Amino acid sequence: MGLVLAAVLATLVVAPLSGLIVGMAAGPGKVRTYYIAVDEVEWDYAPLGYNAITGEPFGEEENVFVANGPYTIGSVYVKALYREYTDATFTSLKPRPPEWEHLGALGPLLFAEVGDTIVVEFRNHARFPFTLHPHGVFYQKDSEGAPYADGTSGADKEDDGVPSGGSHTYVWPVPERAGPGPMEGSSILWMYHSHVDEPGDTNAGLVGPIVVAKKGAARTDGRPSDVHRQFVTMFTVFDENRSPYLMENIETYILQKWWPKITAAQKASLLESLLEDEAFAESNLMHSINGYVFGNLPGLDMYLGERVRWYALGMGTEVDLHTPHWHGNTLVWMGARTDVIELLPASMKTLDMIADNPGTWLYHCHVNDHIDAGMLALFRVS
Ligand SMILES: [Cu+2]
Protein backbone atom coordinates (compact mmCIF):
# COMPACT_ATOMS: atom_id res chain seq x y z
CA MET A 1 0.00 0.00 0.00
CA GLY A 2 1.34 3.43 -0.89
CA LEU A 3 2.54 5.61 1.90
CA VAL A 4 0.17 8.50 1.27
CA LEU A 5 -2.74 6.14 0.87
CA ALA A 6 -1.85 4.42 4.13
CA ALA A 7 -1.68 7.71 5.97
CA VAL A 8 -5.01 8.80 4.49
CA LEU A 9 -6.63 5.50 5.36
CA ALA A 10 -5.29 5.70 8.89
CA THR A 11 -7.03 9.04 9.14
CA LEU A 12 -10.29 7.80 7.59
CA VAL A 13 -10.45 4.67 9.70
CA VAL A 14 -10.30 6.58 12.93
CA ALA A 15 -12.09 9.76 11.90
CA PRO A 16 -15.55 8.59 12.99
CA LEU A 17 -14.15 7.82 16.43
CA SER A 18 -12.18 11.01 16.77
CA GLY A 19 -14.54 12.35 19.38
CA LEU A 20 -13.79 9.31 21.51
CA ILE A 21 -10.18 8.68 20.71
CA VAL A 22 -8.62 12.08 20.67
CA GLY A 23 -5.97 12.64 18.06
CA MET A 24 -5.70 9.07 16.78
CA ALA A 25 -5.05 10.26 13.24
CA ALA A 26 -1.43 10.90 12.36
CA GLY A 27 -0.18 13.84 10.37
CA PRO A 28 0.27 16.18 8.84
CA GLY A 29 3.85 15.73 9.97
CA LYS A 30 7.13 14.55 8.59
CA VAL A 31 7.61 11.28 6.79
CA ARG A 32 10.71 9.72 8.31
CA THR A 33 12.14 7.02 6.08
CA TYR A 34 14.64 4.48 7.37
CA TYR A 35 16.48 1.86 5.29
CA ILE A 36 16.94 -1.17 7.51
CA ALA A 37 18.32 -4.56 6.60
CA VAL A 38 18.81 -7.73 8.58
CA ASP A 39 22.46 -8.69 8.28
CA GLU A 40 24.22 -11.76 9.59
CA VAL A 41 27.27 -10.56 11.50
CA GLU A 42 29.85 -11.90 13.93
CA TRP A 43 29.01 -10.23 17.21
CA ASP A 44 31.51 -10.05 20.07
CA TYR A 45 29.91 -9.71 23.52
CA ALA A 46 33.29 -8.77 25.02
CA PRO A 47 35.32 -6.85 22.43
CA LEU A 48 37.67 -5.39 25.08
CA GLY A 49 38.82 -8.91 25.91
CA TYR A 50 38.85 -8.27 29.66
CA ASN A 51 36.51 -7.54 32.55
CA ALA A 52 36.17 -3.76 32.56
CA ILE A 53 34.34 -3.83 35.89
CA THR A 54 37.27 -5.38 37.77
CA GLY A 55 39.87 -4.07 35.34
CA GLU A 56 41.33 -7.59 35.34
CA PRO A 57 41.71 -10.32 32.70
CA PHE A 58 38.80 -12.73 32.51
CA GLY A 59 39.00 -15.40 35.21
CA GLU A 60 37.36 -18.77 35.64
CA GLU A 61 33.87 -17.42 36.39
CA GLU A 62 33.78 -15.10 33.38
CA ASN A 63 35.34 -17.68 31.08
CA VAL A 64 32.27 -19.89 31.49
CA PHE A 65 30.61 -17.38 29.14
CA VAL A 66 33.39 -15.72 27.17
CA ALA A 67 36.17 -18.27 26.56
CA ASN A 68 36.23 -20.13 23.27
CA GLY A 69 37.31 -23.76 23.53
CA PRO A 70 36.64 -27.33 22.41
CA TYR A 71 33.32 -27.33 24.29
CA THR A 72 32.36 -23.63 24.42
CA ILE A 73 31.59 -21.07 21.74
CA GLY A 74 32.91 -18.11 23.74
CA SER A 75 32.16 -14.41 23.28
CA VAL A 76 31.72 -14.31 19.48
CA TYR A 77 28.53 -15.58 17.84
CA VAL A 78 26.98 -15.16 14.44
CA LYS A 79 23.85 -13.12 15.03
CA ALA A 80 21.20 -11.48 12.87
CA LEU A 81 21.09 -7.74 13.56
CA TYR A 82 19.11 -4.81 12.18
CA ARG A 83 21.43 -2.35 10.49
CA GLU A 84 20.73 1.01 8.90
CA TYR A 85 21.73 1.78 5.33
CA THR A 86 21.98 5.14 3.58
CA ASP A 87 19.44 4.43 0.83
CA ALA A 88 17.30 1.89 -0.99
CA THR A 89 20.28 0.32 -2.77
CA PHE A 90 21.39 -1.14 0.58
CA THR A 91 25.04 -0.86 -0.46
CA SER A 92 26.36 1.55 2.20
CA LEU A 93 25.86 1.15 5.92
CA LYS A 94 24.89 4.42 7.56
CA PRO A 95 27.66 5.19 10.06
CA ARG A 96 26.42 5.15 13.65
CA PRO A 97 27.27 8.50 15.27
CA PRO A 98 29.28 8.44 18.54
CA GLU A 99 26.21 9.32 20.63
CA TRP A 100 24.56 6.06 19.56
CA GLU A 101 27.65 3.84 19.68
CA HIS A 102 26.34 2.41 22.95
CA LEU A 103 23.37 0.82 21.16
CA GLY A 104 25.67 -2.10 20.34
CA ALA A 105 23.66 -5.06 19.09
CA LEU A 106 20.41 -3.08 19.12
CA GLY A 107 18.98 -1.98 15.80
CA PRO A 108 19.05 1.65 14.70
CA LEU A 109 17.02 4.13 16.71
CA LEU A 110 13.82 5.05 14.89
CA PHE A 111 12.70 8.50 15.92
CA ALA A 112 9.44 10.33 15.29
CA GLU A 113 7.35 13.13 16.72
CA VAL A 114 3.64 12.72 17.21
CA GLY A 115 2.00 13.46 13.86
CA ASP A 116 4.88 12.01 11.81
CA THR A 117 4.89 8.77 9.85
CA ILE A 118 7.71 6.24 10.10
CA VAL A 119 8.43 4.38 6.87
CA VAL A 120 10.86 1.49 7.00
CA GLU A 121 12.20 0.18 3.72
CA PHE A 122 13.15 -3.28 4.91
CA ARG A 123 15.52 -5.75 3.25
CA ASN A 124 16.29 -9.23 4.52
CA HIS A 125 19.92 -10.17 3.81
CA ALA A 126 19.76 -13.18 6.15
CA ARG A 127 19.05 -16.81 5.36
CA PHE A 128 15.86 -17.08 7.44
CA PRO A 129 12.58 -15.15 7.06
CA PHE A 130 12.40 -12.15 9.40
CA THR A 131 10.16 -9.12 9.93
CA LEU A 132 9.78 -5.80 11.69
CA HIS A 133 7.02 -5.72 14.27
CA PRO A 134 6.65 -2.40 16.13
CA HIS A 135 5.19 -1.56 19.51
CA GLY A 136 3.13 1.55 20.17
CA VAL A 137 2.95 3.13 16.74
CA PHE A 138 -0.11 2.71 14.50
CA TYR A 139 -0.06 -0.11 11.98
CA GLN A 140 -2.49 -1.81 9.72
CA LYS A 141 -2.34 -5.44 8.77
CA ASP A 142 0.20 -4.89 5.98
CA SER A 143 2.68 -3.37 8.43
CA GLU A 144 2.29 -5.52 11.56
CA GLY A 145 5.13 -7.94 10.78
CA ALA A 146 3.69 -10.91 12.67
CA PRO A 147 2.15 -14.07 11.20
CA TYR A 148 -0.92 -15.55 12.85
CA ALA A 149 -4.45 -16.54 11.91
CA ASP A 150 -5.82 -13.01 11.72
CA GLY A 151 -8.08 -13.58 8.73
CA THR A 152 -5.96 -11.51 6.38
CA SER A 153 -4.67 -12.43 2.93
CA GLY A 154 -2.77 -11.07 -0.07
CA ALA A 155 -0.81 -7.87 0.53
CA ASP A 156 -1.80 -7.95 4.19
CA LYS A 157 0.21 -11.17 4.56
CA GLU A 158 3.39 -10.04 2.81
CA ASP A 159 4.71 -8.30 5.91
CA ASP A 160 4.32 -11.47 8.00
CA GLY A 161 7.58 -13.11 6.98
CA VAL A 162 9.98 -11.44 4.57
CA PRO A 163 11.98 -14.24 2.93
CA SER A 164 15.74 -14.34 2.50
CA GLY A 165 16.59 -11.69 -0.11
CA GLY A 166 13.11 -10.17 0.10
CA SER A 167 11.94 -6.63 0.84
CA HIS A 168 8.94 -4.98 2.42
CA THR A 169 7.83 -1.43 3.16
CA TYR A 170 6.44 -0.97 6.65
CA VAL A 171 4.36 2.18 7.22
CA TRP A 172 3.70 3.29 10.78
CA PRO A 173 1.79 6.51 11.43
CA VAL A 174 2.55 8.03 14.84
CA PRO A 175 -0.70 9.35 16.30
CA GLU A 176 -1.17 11.01 19.67
CA ARG A 177 -1.71 7.64 21.35
CA ALA A 178 1.83 6.60 20.37
CA GLY A 179 3.30 9.62 22.12
CA PRO A 180 4.02 10.40 25.77
CA GLY A 181 1.04 9.97 28.10
CA PRO A 182 -0.25 12.55 30.58
CA MET A 183 2.25 11.54 33.29
CA GLU A 184 5.26 11.37 31.00
CA GLY A 185 7.97 13.71 29.75
CA SER A 186 8.76 14.92 26.26
CA SER A 187 9.57 11.49 24.79
CA ILE A 188 9.02 7.79 25.39
CA LEU A 189 10.47 4.47 24.37
CA TRP A 190 8.89 1.85 22.16
CA MET A 191 10.62 -0.94 20.29
CA TYR A 192 10.53 -3.07 17.18
CA HIS A 193 11.57 -6.67 16.78
CA SER A 194 11.26 -9.58 14.39
CA HIS A 195 8.20 -11.72 14.96
CA VAL A 196 8.27 -14.75 12.64
CA ASP A 197 9.60 -17.12 15.31
CA GLU A 198 9.58 -14.43 17.99
CA PRO A 199 11.80 -16.19 20.59
CA GLY A 200 14.29 -17.36 17.97
CA ASP A 201 14.35 -14.05 16.10
CA THR A 202 14.92 -11.92 19.18
CA ASN A 203 17.60 -14.25 20.56
CA ALA A 204 19.28 -13.97 17.15
CA GLY A 205 19.49 -10.25 17.97
CA LEU A 206 16.59 -8.66 16.10
CA VAL A 207 15.44 -5.90 18.45
CA GLY A 208 15.66 -2.13 18.13
CA PRO A 209 14.39 1.05 19.80
CA ILE A 210 11.76 3.57 18.77
CA VAL A 211 11.59 6.95 20.49
CA VAL A 212 8.48 9.08 20.07
CA ALA A 213 8.51 12.72 21.16
CA LYS A 214 5.62 15.07 21.73
CA LYS A 215 4.78 17.22 18.76
CA GLY A 216 7.23 20.11 18.56
CA ALA A 217 9.31 18.76 21.47
CA ALA A 218 12.36 17.69 19.52
CA ARG A 219 15.23 19.38 17.75
CA THR A 220 16.02 18.57 14.13
CA ASP A 221 18.34 15.74 15.18
CA GLY A 222 15.50 14.10 17.12
CA ARG A 223 16.76 14.87 20.60
CA PRO A 224 14.02 16.32 22.81
CA SER A 225 14.98 19.95 23.41
CA ASP A 226 14.62 19.62 27.19
CA VAL A 227 17.33 16.93 27.54
CA HIS A 228 21.04 17.07 26.79
CA ARG A 229 21.60 13.40 26.14
CA GLN A 230 19.78 10.11 25.62
CA PHE A 231 20.78 6.52 26.25
CA VAL A 232 18.93 3.32 25.34
CA THR A 233 19.85 0.15 27.23
CA MET A 234 18.36 -3.30 26.75
CA PHE A 235 18.74 -5.88 29.50
CA THR A 236 18.36 -9.41 28.21
CA VAL A 237 19.89 -12.83 28.60
CA PHE A 238 20.53 -13.61 24.95
CA ASP A 239 19.87 -17.35 24.85
CA GLU A 240 22.15 -18.46 22.04
CA ASN A 241 20.76 -21.99 22.45
CA ARG A 242 17.49 -20.58 21.10
CA SER A 243 19.08 -18.70 18.19
CA PRO A 244 18.51 -20.11 14.68
CA TYR A 245 22.30 -19.74 14.28
CA LEU A 246 23.18 -22.21 17.06
CA MET A 247 24.26 -25.01 14.73
CA GLU A 248 26.31 -22.61 12.61
CA ASN A 249 27.99 -21.24 15.73
CA ILE A 250 28.87 -24.74 16.94
CA GLU A 251 30.16 -25.65 13.50
CA THR A 252 32.30 -22.51 13.09
CA TYR A 253 33.64 -21.87 16.55
CA ILE A 254 33.89 -25.40 17.96
CA LEU A 255 33.91 -28.13 15.32
CA GLN A 256 35.97 -26.45 12.58
CA LYS A 257 38.27 -24.70 15.02
CA TRP A 258 38.93 -27.39 17.59
CA TRP A 259 37.98 -30.66 15.91
CA PRO A 260 38.95 -30.28 12.23
CA LYS A 261 40.11 -33.86 11.78
CA ILE A 262 37.33 -35.93 13.37
CA THR A 263 35.19 -38.32 11.35
CA ALA A 264 31.56 -37.69 10.53
CA ALA A 265 30.51 -40.26 13.12
CA GLN A 266 32.68 -38.67 15.82
CA LYS A 267 31.31 -35.27 14.86
CA ALA A 268 27.72 -36.48 15.20
CA SER A 269 28.49 -37.97 18.59
CA LEU A 270 30.24 -34.80 19.83
CA LEU A 271 27.35 -32.67 18.60
CA GLU A 272 24.84 -34.86 20.38
CA SER A 273 26.71 -34.71 23.68
CA LEU A 274 27.16 -30.93 23.39
CA LEU A 275 23.45 -30.38 22.83
CA GLU A 276 22.63 -32.48 25.90
CA ASP A 277 25.28 -30.87 28.09
CA GLU A 278 24.00 -28.43 30.72
CA ALA A 279 27.35 -26.68 31.01
CA PHE A 280 27.36 -26.03 27.27
CA ALA A 281 23.82 -24.63 27.44
CA GLU A 282 24.81 -22.40 30.37
CA SER A 283 27.84 -21.09 28.44
CA ASN A 284 25.47 -19.81 25.75
CA LEU A 285 23.40 -17.62 28.10
CA MET A 286 24.80 -14.18 27.44
CA HIS A 287 23.74 -11.88 30.28
CA SER A 288 24.12 -8.67 28.36
CA ILE A 289 23.28 -5.00 28.17
CA ASN A 290 22.91 -4.03 24.49
CA GLY A 291 24.85 -7.19 23.67
CA TYR A 292 27.81 -6.48 25.95
CA VAL A 293 28.94 -8.31 29.10
CA PHE A 294 31.31 -7.53 31.98
CA GLY A 295 31.60 -3.76 31.43
CA ASN A 296 32.34 -3.95 27.70
CA LEU A 297 29.49 -1.59 26.76
CA PRO A 298 31.03 1.64 25.37
CA GLY A 299 29.85 5.21 25.21
CA LEU A 300 27.75 5.89 28.32
CA ASP A 301 29.48 9.24 28.78
CA MET A 302 27.94 12.48 30.00
CA TYR A 303 28.86 15.78 31.58
CA LEU A 304 28.13 17.01 35.08
CA GLY A 305 24.84 18.89 35.28
CA GLU A 306 23.37 17.45 32.11
CA ARG A 307 19.76 16.34 31.90
CA VAL A 308 20.06 12.76 30.73
CA ARG A 309 17.18 10.64 29.49
CA TRP A 310 17.57 6.91 29.95
CA TYR A 311 15.36 4.47 28.05
CA ALA A 312 15.39 0.97 29.58
CA LEU A 313 14.18 -2.08 27.70
CA GLY A 314 13.76 -5.65 28.89
CA MET A 315 13.47 -8.71 26.65
CA GLY A 316 13.61 -12.45 26.97
CA THR A 317 12.11 -15.24 28.98
CA GLU A 318 11.29 -16.22 32.58
CA VAL A 319 14.88 -15.59 33.71
CA ASP A 320 14.64 -12.08 32.34
CA LEU A 321 13.55 -10.17 35.37
CA HIS A 322 16.06 -7.38 35.59
CA THR A 323 16.58 -4.49 37.97
CA PRO A 324 18.93 -1.95 36.39
CA HIS A 325 20.68 0.03 39.11
CA TRP A 326 22.57 3.28 38.59
CA HIS A 327 25.31 4.02 41.09
CA GLY A 328 26.07 7.53 42.31
CA ASN A 329 23.13 9.38 40.73
CA THR A 330 19.35 9.22 40.99
CA LEU A 331 16.54 9.30 38.46
CA VAL A 332 12.87 10.13 38.18
CA TRP A 333 10.42 7.66 36.71
CA MET A 334 6.74 8.61 36.43
CA GLY A 335 7.19 11.27 39.08
CA ALA A 336 8.94 8.98 41.56
CA ARG A 337 12.60 9.18 42.61
CA THR A 338 14.64 6.02 42.28
CA ASP A 339 17.99 4.53 41.35
CA VAL A 340 16.60 1.10 40.36
CA ILE A 341 13.91 0.19 37.84
CA GLU A 342 12.10 -3.11 37.27
CA LEU A 343 12.15 -4.67 33.81
CA LEU A 344 10.27 -7.74 32.63
CA PRO A 345 10.36 -9.08 29.05
CA ALA A 346 9.20 -6.29 26.71
CA SER A 347 9.17 -3.63 29.45
CA MET A 348 9.86 -0.18 28.01
CA LYS A 349 10.63 2.53 30.56
CA THR A 350 11.80 6.13 30.31
CA LEU A 351 13.71 7.78 33.17
CA ASP A 352 15.36 11.17 33.67
CA MET A 353 18.63 11.79 35.47
CA ILE A 354 20.32 15.04 36.31
CA ALA A 355 23.95 13.94 36.42
CA ASP A 356 25.08 15.62 39.64
CA ASN A 357 27.85 13.34 40.82
CA PRO A 358 31.04 13.05 38.78
CA GLY A 359 32.88 9.78 38.45
CA THR A 360 32.94 6.39 36.78
CA TRP A 361 29.86 4.58 38.00
CA LEU A 362 28.53 1.06 37.91
CA TYR A 363 25.29 0.47 35.96
CA HIS A 364 24.17 -3.10 36.44
CA CYS A 365 21.34 -5.55 36.90
CA HIS A 366 20.75 -6.06 40.62
CA VAL A 367 19.72 -9.73 40.31
CA ASN A 368 22.54 -11.68 41.99
CA ASP A 369 22.83 -14.40 39.36
CA HIS A 370 22.95 -11.78 36.63
CA ILE A 371 25.72 -9.85 38.39
CA ASP A 372 27.83 -13.02 38.47
CA ALA A 373 27.10 -13.66 34.79
CA GLY A 374 28.24 -10.24 33.61
CA MET A 375 25.20 -8.01 33.26
CA LEU A 376 27.20 -4.93 34.18
CA ALA A 377 28.30 -1.73 32.52
CA LEU A 378 29.96 1.56 33.44
CA PHE A 379 28.79 5.12 32.88
CA ARG A 380 30.90 8.21 33.28
CA VAL A 381 29.94 11.65 34.54
CA SER A 382 32.76 14.10 33.82
CU1 LIG B 1 19.06 -9.16 35.35
Side-chain angles (χ1 to χ4, degrees):
M1 183 186 296
L3 162 63
V4 176
L5 182 57
V8 168
L9 281 180
T11 309
L12 290 177
V13 164
V14 298
L17 297 172
S18 58
L20 299 171
I21 308 171
V22 178
M24 274 282 280
K30 285 189 184 146
V31 174
R32 297 179 187 268
T33 303
Y34 296 89
Y35 302 94
I36 296 182
V38 174
D39 289 332
E40 295 175 347
V41 297
E42 284 191 317
W43 178 255
D44 192 344
Y45 286 92
L48 296 174
Y50 65 95
N51 185 336
I53 304 299
T54 61
E56 303 283 332
F58 288 129
E60 204 176 323
E61 273 190 24
E62 296 104 315
N63 279 334
V64 167
F65 303 100
V66 298
N68 174 248
Y71 305 106
T72 51
I73 292 168
S75 70
V76 178
Y77 290 78
V78 169
K79 297 185 76 63
L81 302 179
Y82 291 120
R83 298 204 296 177
E84 186 172 11
Y85 284 76
T86 54
D87 58 42
T89 65
F90 287 95
T91 48
S92 303
L93 278 172
K94 190 168 179 181
R96 187 168 262 180
E99 67 173 302
W100 295 114
E101 189 194 356
H102 70 273
L103 290 179
L106 283 178
L109 179 92
L110 306 185
F111 170 78
E113 279 189 2
V114 167
D116 294 346
T117 300
I118 295 172
V119 175
V120 179
E121 299 290 351
F122 176 69
R123 176 80 64 89
N124 184 3
H125 292 156
R127 74 194 75 173
F128 304 109
F130 291 121
T131 64
L132 273 174
H133 166 69
H135 287 235
V137 295
F138 189 92
Y139 47 80
Q140 297 182 64
K141 283 294 182 183
D142 65 345
S143 288
E144 183 181 10
Y148 56 102
D150 58 358
T152 62
S153 59
D156 285 346
K157 277 282 171 211
E158 286 167 12
D159 62 304
D160 289 5
V162 179
S164 178
S167 303
H168 189 76
T169 302
Y170 291 90
V171 179
W172 303 328
V174 184
E176 186 72 35
R177 63 89 149 139
M183 305 284 283
E184 296 180 302
S186 55
S187 63
I188 54 167
L189 176 69
W190 298 104
M191 67 159 154
Y192 58 93
H193 58 85
S194 183
H195 205 316
V196 179
D197 164 23
E198 203 277 351
D201 297 3
T202 52
N203 279 306
L206 292 172
V207 186
I210 302 173
V211 166
V212 174
K214 284 180 183 169
K215 192 165 188 59
R219 299 152 31 114
T220 49
D221 64 359
R223 173 160 58 83
S225 45
D226 61 346
V227 300
H228 294 105
R229 207 171 284 280
Q230 307 179 89
F231 298 114
V232 183
T233 51
M234 176 175 74
F235 287 69
T236 192
V237 180
F238 273 122
D239 183 353
E240 294 289 350
N241 304 293
R242 191 66 178 80
S243 162
Y245 297 95
L246 175 65
M247 297 310 285
E248 154 127 356
N249 285 321
I250 294 173
E251 181 68 37
T252 306
Y253 303 112
I254 295 182
L255 298 177
Q256 285 177 20
K257 204 164 169 184
W258 294 90
W259 309 92
K261 293 185 177 148
I262 58 175
T263 66
Q266 287 170 322
K267 187 171 152 179
S269 155
L270 176 58
L271 196 55
E272 195 183 333
S273 57
L274 269 181
L275 294 173
E276 287 172 357
D277 181 27
E278 277 180 29
F280 175 71
E282 170 76 14
S283 76
N284 293 321
L285 299 178
M286 305 307 285
H287 294 62
S288 62
I289 308 171
N290 291 0
Y292 293 107
V293 296
F294 297 111
N296 277 238
L297 196 167
L300 298 181
D301 299 311
M302 66 210 75
Y303 292 114
L304 188 65
E306 284 188 327
R307 292 188 296 274
V308 180
R309 181 152 296 161
W310 291 83
Y311 304 100
L313 174 60
M315 283 298 275
T317 186
E318 73 275 12
V319 300
D320 285 283
L321 43 107
H322 304 296
T323 51
H325 168 46
W326 290 260
H327 281 220
N329 292 264
T330 64
L331 304 93
V332 171
W333 177 69
M334 300 288 283
R337 193 90 58 191
T338 187
D339 63 3
V340 176
I341 195 78
E342 298 82 22
L343 296 178
L344 291 172
S347 291
M348 297 167 282
K349 293 184 171 169
T350 302
L351 304 95
D352 284 323
M353 166 190 285
I354 294 174
D356 66 353
N357 193 359
T360 295
W361 299 107
L362 196 56
Y363 176 45
H364 69 101
C365 178
H366 223 294
V367 175
N368 287 340
D369 184 57
H370 300 177
I371 296 172
D372 291 341
M375 199 170 246
L376 314 118
L378 296 170
F379 70 97
R380 287 166 205 86
V381 179
S382 53

